[in-house]
Amino acid sequence: MLRWTRAWSLPLRGLGPCCLSSSRVPVAPSSSGRSGVEPRSVLLSYKLLDGEATRPALVFLHGLFGSKTNFNSIAKALAHQTGRRVLTMDARNHGDSPHSPDMSYEAMSQDLQDLLPQLGLVPCVLIGHSMGGKTAMLLALQRDMAERQFLLTNLVEVDGRFVWRVNLEALAQHVDKILAFPPRQESYPGPTLFLLGGNSQYVRPSHHAEIRRLFPQAQMQTVPNAGHWIHADCPQDFVAAIRGFLA
């Protein structure tokens, strides 16, 4: 059974030519039996076919006893026909990927959550067969859940019914202005810190020149594993960056 899903609202990053990793690492200890502990990821072996960095990549996940080679011809055909980047990989305990005593879907999802941002392949389209399809399903559900929980903080109970505490009508009417910034000619000469999430695409390289024009003393610091909500994704790095700026 073949399952596919679109997942992740994260940044796109350009990559160079096709690259292949097949290195092994020592067997990783299991964390699946410890409640509340995030599964420990392993470095997956993968093959990446290059394509347009502005379009979501296609990511293939094989089934039980399979490997990344199962999709070789299909990956090449889709890369040629769609112009997109196409990634195939070996799941943990399969192919050239490391062995681990943890073979839970949570662990396989964590492997992807660590690998895909490193390769700049998010957002992406996940295409999984059998075991790989279930891994894609779990990953999509885990990422959707985090955003839903954030949005639901704006839902409150008033007089026995749930209402939005944000003014949705006003926000919808002015969303373009909120996402933009009013044009200004003057500049601010004081010290300024722009803290960017490595997995966020809100501040693009094309914005840097205007930022430095408006704030000539600006420092730009990136938190590698954070998205748009740096304070929620990496609170310790967030606090450390502020303390460093204040020092």
Side-chain angles (χ1 to χ4, degrees), residues 115-136:
L115 177 64
L116 295 178
Q118 293 175 15
L119 298 178
L121 297 185
V122 284
C124 66
V125 178
L126 299 175
I127 306 172
H129 170 244
S130 191
M131 179 185 77
K134 292 181 179 179
T135 303

Side-chain angles (χ1 to χ4, degrees), residues 148-159:
R148 284 201 301 267
Q149 289 176 339
F150 170 75
L151 293 174
L152 286 176
T153 61
N154 291 294
L155 193 64
V156 296
E157 186 176 3
V158 177
D159 298 329

Side-chain angles (χ1 to χ4, degrees), residues 194-200 203 208 211 220-224 226-227 230:
F194 284 79
L195 194 58
L196 317 178
N199 296 336
S200 173
V203 179
H208 292 187
I211 289 174
M220 295 191 187
Q221 184 176 337
T222 299
V223 179
I230 302 173

Side-chain angles (χ1 to χ4, degrees), residues 32-176:
S32 60
R34 296 153 57 191
S35 177
V37 177
E38 184 177 274
R40 182 174 301 180
S41 65
V42 299
L43 181 61
L44 301 180
S45 173
Y46 64 88
K47 182 176 182 180
L48 177 63
L49 301 180
D50 200 14
E52 297 178 17
T54 57
R55 306 179 67 190
L58 307 181
V59 177
F60 282 91
L61 310 175
H62 64 77
L64 184 64
F65 301 126
S67 72
K68 60 180 177 291
T69 61
N70 296 160
F71 294 108
N72 271 353
S73 59
I74 293 176
K76 292 177 182 178
L78 283 172
H80 176 73
Q81 294 173 18
T82 68
R84 297 177 185 238
R85 295 165 294 173
V86 180
L87 179 73
T88 57
M89 70 189 74
D90 292 329
R92 58 172 55 206
N93 297 316
H94 289 73
D96 294 320
S97 286
H99 289 186
S100 168
D102 190 349
M103 196 55 192
S104 65
Y105 281 109
E106 289 80 5
M108 288 188 282
S109 174
Q110 190 61 50
D111 292 340
L112 294 177
Q113 292 183 52
D114 288 350
L115 177 64
L116 295 178
Q118 293 175 15
L119 298 178
L121 297 185
V122 284
C124 66
V125 178
L126 299 175
I127 306 172
H129 170 244
S130 191
M131 179 185 77
K134 292 181 179 179
T135 303
M137 291 161 61
L138 178 61
L139 175 56
L141 291 171
Q142 288 175 324
R143 302 304 299 184
D144 296 344
M145 178 60 70
E147 294 190 9
R148 284 201 301 267
Q149 289 176 339
F150 170 75
L151 293 174
L152 286 176
T153 61
N154 291 294
L155 193 64
V156 296
E157 186 176 3
V158 177
D159 298 329
R161 65 190 185 94
F162 287 98
V163 298
W164 293 106
R165 62 179 178 181
V166 295
N167 187 341
L168 291 178
E169 183 178 355
L171 296 178
Q173 291 178 353
H174 298 281
V175 66
D176 291 341

